[in-house]
Amino acid sequence: MTIDAPKPTLALSVGIVGHRPNRLPAETSAAIEARIDEILLLLKRTAEETRRRHPFYADEPVAFTMISALAEGADRMAARSAIRNGLALDVVLPFPADAYEQDFLEPASRAEYRQLIDAARRVEVLPGDYGAEHRDYDPAGRVILETADIILGVWDGGPSGGRGGTTDLLQRAAAKGIPIISIDPSNRTAPRLLWSGLAGGPPGDADLTSIPSAPLAEVVAPMIDRLARSAYEKRRGGIDPS
């Protein structure tokens, strides 16, 4: 008698890459966080519709995860939104938790940082040296790029502040073929998907200055479908589920 293997759960992860408060307009912070709420709900709804269309996935809710380094600004916005909207929160800290906390000067910010760590499903603490002359935040960004299926970028379009900065990480995500959902911090334009996969061929190396893009609402369904199929193919050793 042949026993069929259990069907896998569709699991997708979103990594947040974005500016700290010095590059986020204070007057649009609430609107940015509301945008993130809308995007996460859109992704969840679209993923559920995709799962129901594909019989090779288990008949159970999509497992959605947000990955955040909990810096002030975009990282915190996405972490709060994830918790509000029913996503699991995975945290990646570039330094030991007590040391990294020194980045945050206000007591309320430190308290929120601890609350989000406590709310996380998983916390990965990297062995960074907070006392180094040049603190290296980049390893946390690398972990996010290595584990996220989708990058949520709160990005003003400007240059990077250096290795591991927002623009640098988004450029590396584009080069890896990871879909990037770009949010305008000024809130003047609707979210857009930046992704080499929009060109029709397999996702691959691309540059932020020339990457194909489209309004997110118009292309979210085919993006999620391709990610779902790709995830299943990887589990099955490259076998196309269709």
Side-chain angles (χ1 to χ4, degrees):
M1 182 178 69
T2 300
I3 300 176
D4 293 333
K7 294 180 179 180
T9 299
L10 175 56
L12 294 170
S13 59
V14 181
I16 177 66
V17 170
H19 298 303
R20 291 196 181 208
N22 63 314
R23 285 178 64 170
L24 297 175
E27 64 273 15
T28 62
S29 61
I32 295 169
E33 194 156 337
R35 284 278 197 193
I36 295 173
D37 283 343
E38 293 169 3
I39 289 168
L40 295 186
L41 289 173
L42 174 63
L43 292 175
K44 286 183 67 177
R45 184 171 65 250
T46 306
E48 285 297 336
E49 293 167 354
T50 300
R51 176 192 61 77
R52 287 193 291 268
R53 285 199 310 273
H54 293 316
F56 44 84
Y57 277 113
D59 185 16
E60 57 190 40
V62 177
F64 247 113
T65 302
M66 173 65 72
I67 310 168
S68 173
L70 297 188
E72 292 172 326
D75 285 10
R76 297 278 186 93
M77 293 178 182
R80 291 192 296 262
S81 179
I83 293 169
R84 274 196 305 274
N85 292 293
L87 279 72
L89 175 63
D90 283 358
V91 166
V92 182
L93 302 180
F95 308 101
D98 290 346
Y100 187 36
E101 184 176 354
Q102 297 175 56
D103 263 23
F104 318 126
L105 302 180
E106 297 297 326
S109 178
R110 291 189 174 195
E112 181 184 54
Y113 166 72
R114 287 294 179 175
Q115 288 164 4
L116 291 171
I117 287 176
D118 289 343
R121 177 186 67 176
R122 177 174 173 269
V123 179
E124 180 174 358
V125 180
L126 302 179
D129 180 5
Y130 194 81
E133 182 178 357
H134 301 290
R135 293 179 195 138
D136 189 4
Y137 295 83
D138 184 59
R142 285 203 305 270
V143 170
I144 291 172
L145 295 187
E146 288 166 1
T147 53
D149 299 298
I150 301 165
I151 293 295
L152 185 62
V154 181
W155 179 47
D156 61 12
S160 186
R163 183 74 173 174
T166 297
T167 305
D168 172 65
L169 289 174
L170 293 180
Q171 176 56 61
R172 286 150 65 187
K176 289 168 67 71
I178 305 171
I180 300 166
I181 298 173
S182 179
I183 297 176
D184 174 11
S186 72
N187 203 38
R188 288 193 291 264
T189 59
R192 296 185 67 83
L193 178 65
L194 316 179
W195 189 33
S196 54
L198 292 173
D205 191 359
D207 189 277
L208 274 180
T209 60
S210 58
I211 192 170
S213 72
L216 176 64
E218 297 178 8
V219 293
V220 63
M223 175 194 70
I224 293 291
D225 189 82
R226 287 185 69 172
L227 292 176
R229 288 178 173 275
S230 175
Y232 187 79
E233 288 175 23
K234 288 178 182 177
R235 291 181 64 98
R236 299 278 293 172
I239 299 173
D240 188 332
S242 59

